[in-house]
Amino acid sequence: MAEVEKSGRIRTATAFLLTGLLWGSAWIAEGRLRDAVPDCYAGPIPGISLEAARYGIAAAALGLLALRDLGSRISQKAILWAAMLGVVQLGVPFVLAAWSGSGVAPGISIVSFALMPLFALLISGGNGEGEIPLAVAGVGGVTLLGATSLNLSWHAWPMFLALLAAVLLGAVGLLGLRRLRVHGLIQSGQWAQFCAIQSGTACLFLLLASFIFHSADAAPCTLQRASALPLVALALPVTAVTLPLLFLLAGRMEAWQIATLEWLTTLVAVLESHGLLKIRPSWLEGLGAAILAGCIVRVVSIDESSATPVPSYLK
């Protein structure tokens, strides 16, 4: 029994670290994609067409994997949940975050997303094992990492509130996914079907939003050959792989713990960018990285039985 439990914890930690590594490395593909097709980042919601294409490709790949599980189709309730999470957890947060990006500094953005574990804890109403202090410490670590770009002007407050709404929706989405897994509304072997529906719904929502927010003055978004590789990288490893990993994690970790992937993503991105660009970190960044590393180790080591349960109103 102890060996099985140990093996399960190793699988959970591996899935957690792999997801953070893939998300944290996504900035490389995103940068190359922006350089290849800059016209696609014009308009009020920069990159929305590319984001729709990303989820569309991911949905197609996951759909192919789901073909082997057609003998065990998911319930209509699970389909509705998958579609809802595609909008609430993926589609709407992207629109809000992309719109706010034109007025909110990058440092403010990463600190805002670092609040997701705290939001999830406040919604669920739990504070077992000192979880809220741990969530606050994680936000502090991210703040130190982004201390050089924490400017927020008064005219950007609407965009900042939109960014916080995106973070809040991300937390709600994780709580919903956790509910599905805890109460057995979807079986573990149906992950491909669930994730394909979730990604496909996000694609359709973003396509609709791109038509609604289309600017007549903006140049058309035309894909180039140079954009194929970074787009596929974002669609397959960063999306089609991490969505099933999140599905796995939701069966083994609480929503607030999964949300701390935002911390790991930031840590990986900062370390990679400093290494590739040969930037020497400041002492504040070093302190922030050390705090984050300690917080992440603590999050992964928390036993499932002592974690905060799903709130009663989500049951």
Side-chain angles (χ1 to χ4, degrees):
M1 188 68 179
E3 287 297 324
V4 174
E5 182 179 349
K6 182 179 179 181
S7 176
R9 297 189 71 168
I10 291 175
R11 281 187 64 192
T12 301
T14 302
F16 185 89
L17 294 174
L18 179 58
T19 304
L21 178 61
L22 289 172
W23 281 1
S25 303
W27 67 274
I28 301 174
E30 289 170 351
R32 292 183 178 178
L33 192 58
R34 185 181 292 269
D35 292 340
V37 282
D39 291 342
C40 294
Y41 290 87
I45 313 295
I48 189 169
S49 298
L50 295 174
E51 194 73 1
R54 165 187 175 178
Y55 283 114
I57 296 171
L62 290 165
L64 290 175
L65 291 175
L67 291 176
R68 63 178 185 175
D69 299 324
L70 290 182
S72 174
R73 295 184 180 180
I74 62 177
S75 65
Q76 291 185 349
K77 189 172 184 180
I79 291 174
L80 291 175
W81 267 100
M84 183 181 68
L85 290 177
V87 174
V88 173
Q89 188 180 14
L90 303 178
V92 177
F94 172 81
V95 171
L96 293 173
W99 177 72
S100 68
S102 60
V104 176
I108 295 293
S109 180
I110 64 172
V111 171
S112 298
F113 274 96
L115 291 168
M116 193 180 294
L118 185 59
F119 283 0
L121 278 170
L122 293 176
I123 294 172
S124 63
N127 185 27
E129 295 275 330
E131 293 163 355
I132 288 181
L134 181 59
V136 172
V139 175
V142 172
T143 302
L144 291 175
L145 277 179
T148 58
S149 56
L150 292 177
N151 301 318
L152 182 64
S153 59
W154 283 104
H155 76 274
W157 275 103
M159 296 178 179
F160 177 62
L161 293 177
L163 184 61
L164 289 181
V167 177
L168 180 61
L169 286 175
V172 170
L174 289 175
L175 284 166
L177 183 60
R178 173 64 175 168
R179 175 196 185 274
L180 282 171
R181 300 291 277 121
V182 167
H183 297 286
L185 296 179
I186 182 170
Q187 300 175 16
S188 298
Q190 298 171 333
W191 59 268
Q193 297 177 59
F194 183 88
C195 294
I197 296 169
Q198 184 184 13
S199 188
T201 305
C203 170
L204 294 176
F205 173 82
L206 291 170
L207 283 175
L208 177 61
S210 68
F211 284 115
I212 294 174
F213 295 105
H214 176 71
S215 175
D217 298 330
C221 176
T222 305
L223 294 180
Q224 306 294 331
R225 182 177 297 180
S227 64
L229 182 59
L231 180 59
V232 170
L234 290 172
L236 297 184
V238 179
T239 306
V241 172
T242 59
L243 284 180
L245 288 176
L246 285 178
F247 184 87
L248 168 67
L249 290 173
R252 298 175 177 270
M253 301 177 79
E254 298 301 330
W256 77 268
Q257 292 175 281
I258 304 171
T260 61
L261 281 166
E262 297 293 341
W263 305 347
L264 181 57
T265 298
T266 300
L267 181 60
V268 170
V270 170
L271 292 177
E272 284 185 352
S273 61
H274 279 54
L276 292 175
L277 302 177
K278 298 181 180 180
I279 300 173
R280 185 173 182 178
S282 66
W283 70 270
L284 281 177
E285 291 173 325
L287 178 60
I291 292 174
L292 274 184
C295 289
I296 291 168
V297 170
R298 175 57 185 149
V299 166
V300 175
S301 66
I302 292 178
D303 184 70
E304 185 178 350
S305 62
S306 63
T308 302
V310 177
S312 59
Y313 52 82
L314 285 176
K315 296 181 179 178

